[in-house]
């Protein structure tokens, strides 16, 4: 289900949107809808990222287990190169 929304835009922004929309082969309406969808998704992903980070911080505070970043990067690099690698061991660094 869709509904109508009214946006008050400056004349300058309207011109910029029209130009960008035309350049991308879209109507101004489609361009704005896509922009709103992308920004909404970005905000949702940012919110989820922050929630994950806060949870991770709580887990570190509770259990004291962390993994050295250099060990993680070395592990990932080796795996990306198809080499066998030992997974980093969480410890109370």
């Amino acid at each position: 289900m869709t509904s109508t929304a009214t946006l008050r835009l400056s004349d300058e922004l309207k011109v910029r949107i029209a130009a960008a929309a035309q350049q991308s082969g879209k109507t101004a309406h489609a361009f704005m809808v896509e922009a709103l969808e992308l920004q909404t998704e970005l905000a949702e992903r940012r919110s989820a990222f922050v929630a994950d980070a806060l949870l991770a911080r709580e887990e570190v505070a509770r259990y004291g287990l962390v993994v050295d970043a250099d060990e993680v990067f070395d592990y990932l690099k080796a795996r990306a190169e198809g080499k066998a690698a030992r997974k980093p061991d969480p410890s109370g660094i």
Side-chain angles (χ1 to χ4, degrees):
M1 180 194 262
T2 60
S3 62
T4 301
T6 300
L7 298 174
R8 299 195 190 283
L9 307 172
S10 68
D11 290 338
E12 178 187 347
L13 182 56
K14 287 178 188 178
V15 169
R16 290 173 58 205
I17 289 171
Q22 183 179 18
Q23 208 169 29
S24 64
K26 299 178 179 134
T27 65
H29 173 82
F31 184 85
M32 288 185 285
V33 168
E34 182 178 287
L36 291 168
E37 287 173 344
L38 289 172
Q39 285 300 310
T40 300
E41 181 179 336
L42 179 62
E44 291 167 346
R45 290 174 60 194
R46 186 179 298 116
S47 179
F49 177 79
V50 170
D52 288 346
L54 292 173
L55 178 60
R57 183 172 71 174
E58 287 177 20
E59 289 177 355
V60 168
R62 179 178 295 141
Y63 304 112
L65 298 175
V66 294
V67 178
D68 182 76
D70 289 332
E71 290 180 27
V72 172
F73 295 139
D74 291 344
Y75 171 77
L76 292 174
K77 182 178 178 186
R79 293 302 309 240
E81 293 172 352
K83 298 176 184 174
R86 187 176 61 83
K87 286 185 180 180
D89 184 37
S91 64
I93 295 176

